[in-house]
Amino acid sequence: MSMRQKVKVRGGAAVAVAALLVLALAGCGGSEKPKEPQKPSTGQNQGSTPQKSAPTGDGSPAPVEVIATTQGQSGVVLEITSAERDQDGYLTVNGRIKNTGSTPFAQTAAWRGDEKTASPASVAGATIVDNAGKKRYYVLRDTEGRCACTTGLMVIKAGESIPFFAQFPAPPTSTTEVVFGLPTFAAAPIKISG
């Protein structure tokens, strides 16, 4: 075997080893934390998963469908735009909280429920109730106790609309409707997609 042939064999072996390493590393990095939907980088960590909307003919996004609306205190309205079950066993509720009043709204502490430290100024007090299965679900937590939900909700300015999300364990697939609750808001029945 000539020196040129040995180089070719070694080069091919190096490529094969590199490909195996890439595949092995791609399988690493699993986590036992609930997956957190991506949050936008604007504001004080006020966020939600990006709202799905198809562009209209003029290039602007189409309005997002509201599947439930409920009233809170002082002109604050909660609109739910989706409740999506995923293949990993989670149910993510997305929406927006609007201040339709004429003054800033700062009474958000009740929304965190019993949460005092890990997820302040959040919607950690949100729940869903599966009436058919007679079960209540609470917002998921990571290993450090932080909620899988929107945080940083200190003050909502007059006329402002803040996106939110809350992630829960998914009810059984036979459950197609749940009741969403957040302290200070009326309960809202919502349909599950996915």
Side-chain angles (χ1 to χ4, degrees):
M1 183 181 278
S2 71
M3 185 60 113
R4 175 175 268 172
Q5 289 172 328
K6 285 182 183 177
V7 170
K8 283 184 182 177
V9 169
R10 285 185 185 157
V15 169
V17 169
L20 285 174
L21 282 173
V22 167
L23 289 174
L25 289 175
C28 294
S31 173
E32 293 186 20
K33 292 188 209 176
K35 63 180 193 177
E36 270 189 64
Q38 185 178 6
K39 298 176 212 166
S41 59
T42 59
Q44 301 174 333
N45 199 22
Q46 298 170 343
S48 174
T49 54
Q51 302 296 332
K52 293 180 182 176
S53 57
T56 60
D58 63 1
S60 63
V64 176
E65 179 186 0
V66 175
I67 62 172
T69 302
T70 182
Q71 295 287 328
Q73 302 171 318
S74 306
V76 175
V77 176
L78 183 141
E79 295 180 340
I80 298 172
T81 55
S82 68
E84 295 183 359
R85 185 193 324 264
D86 66 25
Q87 69 275 8
D88 296 324
Y90 303 115
L91 176 72
T92 304
V93 177
N94 289 293
R96 54 189 165 248
I97 301 172
K98 293 181 173 182
N99 181 355
T100 63
S102 57
T103 59
F105 181 81
Q107 300 165 3
T108 62
W111 300 347
R112 70 181 183 209
D114 292 334
E115 182 61 58
K116 301 289 186 259
T117 55
S119 305
S122 68
V123 293
T127 60
I128 56 170
V129 176
D130 172 6
N131 285 325
K134 296 181 174 41
K135 191 165 183 182
R136 179 185 307 266
Y137 297 86
Y138 295 90
V139 173
L140 290 168
R141 306 292 174 144
D142 67 15
T143 55
E144 286 146 19
R146 292 184 300 252
C147 72
C149 68
T150 298
T151 60
L153 295 170
M154 302 292 282
V155 175
I156 302 175
K157 298 173 191 164
E160 188 175 22
S161 178
I162 304 291
F164 83 92
F165 79 93
Q167 193 170 60
F168 305 90
T173 53
S174 58
T175 299
T176 58
E177 184 174 288
V178 292
V179 177
F180 180 83
L182 184 64
T184 75
F185 291 92
I190 53 175
K191 295 272 189 198
I192 297 175
S193 62

